[in-house]
Amino acid sequence: MGNNEITNQIRRLRFDNNEMSQQDLAQKAGCTRQTIIAIEQGKYNPSLALAFKIARAFGKKIEEVFLCNG
Amino acid sequence: MNKTQKGAWCGVLMSVFILLIPVIRMNIAVPIPSMRTDIDSTIPVERTNIWGTIKTDPLLSNLFFIIIPVVLLLLAFFFINRKRNNAEAEIDERDRFIARRALIATFVSICVIPIVACAVAIFALEPQATIQIRIFPLILYFTYIIFILIFSVAILVQYGWGGKDGK
């Protein structure tokens, strides 16, 4: 399910945003906490729509949250 | 554990329960001479199987095969679909993705069951033997139950059985 070529900065950004919990981020992005955990661990690559929602939750651009190493 | 995982656990428990009923009932109904010492094994025992039990005890069969699974399913769906005040989404794209992959895997593996059923019939009986027509809906019924079992297990495997809760 995961693709190691895509990494993300979600964990760091959560702590930069007043130590936002995974639950809070999940509510803002409209997904489950388990999905946030899976994305953070690189086990699941979100769809473009969810990636945008997560980036929007941090007030960042999508490329600032998700990085493609390929 | 999210809604999909709870549903999958319900599916596993329900299907295992339903699949075990014939085995339990068959062992209760049929004395096995080779395994029982309290009966005279020289007396020919009528070869009874699950189909024979169904024939002799239709009320219990209906109860076990239809009512109890339906009640279990309704109870499971009632508990899983309870309204919560939590603002967090209960199902998202990852859950749908997992369910879709489980469905594909289940459809691929379920194709084997009718083939196995036919092979068992041929080897257990003989190629020229005939079987009663009422066995076919039962094969379909058990295929459906096995479908639920494989689908549920495929979901749980993808979630890691839910023990880690995604951590």
Side-chain angles (χ1 to χ4, degrees):
Chain A
M1 220 184 301
N3 185 347
N4 292 330
E5 287 184 355
I6 295 175
T7 57
N8 65 75
Q9 304 292 319
I10 292 176
R11 187 181 289 270
R12 185 180 61 76
L13 287 167
R14 277 199 304 111
F15 284 97
D16 289 348
N17 282 268
N18 289 329
E19 296 191 1
M20 184 193 289
S21 67
Q22 291 169 332
Q23 182 89 28
D24 291 337
L25 178 58
Q27 286 182 8
K28 286 182 179 175
C31 63
T32 62
R33 190 177 60 86
Q34 285 179 317
T35 299
I36 297 295
I37 294 166
I39 294 169
E40 270 189 14
Q41 292 177 343
K43 290 180 180 172
Y44 175 68
N45 290 331
S47 68
L48 201 52
L50 182 56
F52 270 112
K53 284 179 187 172
I54 291 170
R56 214 173 283 157
F58 291 123
K60 300 277 185 186
K61 290 180 180 175
I62 194 168
E63 61 266 29
E64 290 177 281
V65 181
F66 295 95
L67 307 168
C68 184
N69 300 324
Chain B
M1 197 179 285
N2 66 17
K3 204 170 164 179
T4 315
Q5 283 171 288
K6 285 175 189 170
W9 273 114
C10 284
V12 169
L13 293 175
M14 191 196 71
S15 50
V16 167
F17 177 70
I18 293 170
L19 290 172
L20 279 179
I21 288 170
V23 177
I24 293 165
R25 292 184 65 209
M26 193 163 63
N27 284 338
I28 291 169
V30 184
I32 302 169
S34 59
M35 294 175 68
R36 298 264 304 260
T37 55
D38 57 334
I39 58 167
D40 185 0
S41 60
T42 57
I43 299 170
V45 177
E46 188 184 351
R47 194 174 162 189
T48 312
N49 55 27
I50 183 59
W51 320 124
T53 313
I54 288 170
K55 190 181 175 184
T56 55
D57 194 3
L59 183 68
L60 264 182
S61 301
N62 290 338
L63 189 73
F64 278 118
F65 283 112
I66 297 165
I67 296 171
I68 288 181
V70 168
V71 169
L72 282 176
L73 260 182
L74 289 175
L75 280 175
F77 279 114
F78 173 74
F79 281 110
I80 290 167
N81 292 317
R82 276 181 304 175
K83 286 280 179 193
R84 294 174 190 166
N85 295 323
N86 198 344
E88 187 186 354
E90 289 182 339
I91 286 179
D92 64 4
E93 61 172 41
R94 178 169 167 262
D95 301 312
R96 282 189 284 272
F97 177 75
I98 285 173
R100 197 164 52 236
R101 282 196 0 164
L103 193 64
I104 293 166
T106 309
F107 266 116
V108 170
S109 51
I110 209 77
C111 295
V112 178
I113 291 176
I115 299 166
V116 170
C118 293
V120 166
I122 289 169
F123 288 114
L125 304 169
E126 56 187 35
Q128 285 79 29
T130 56
I131 56 171
Q132 294 180 6
I133 199 74
R134 65 182 175 165
I135 288 175
F136 289 108
L138 284 167
I139 289 173
L140 291 177
Y141 178 80
F142 280 102
T143 303
Y144 173 67
I145 299 301
I146 292 167
F147 179 94
I148 293 173
L149 179 64
I150 296 172
F151 181 66
S152 304
V153 168
I155 283 176
L156 291 173
V157 164
Q158 289 183 85
Y159 278 115
W161 295 95
K164 297 171 190 167
D165 198 21
K167 288 178 185 166

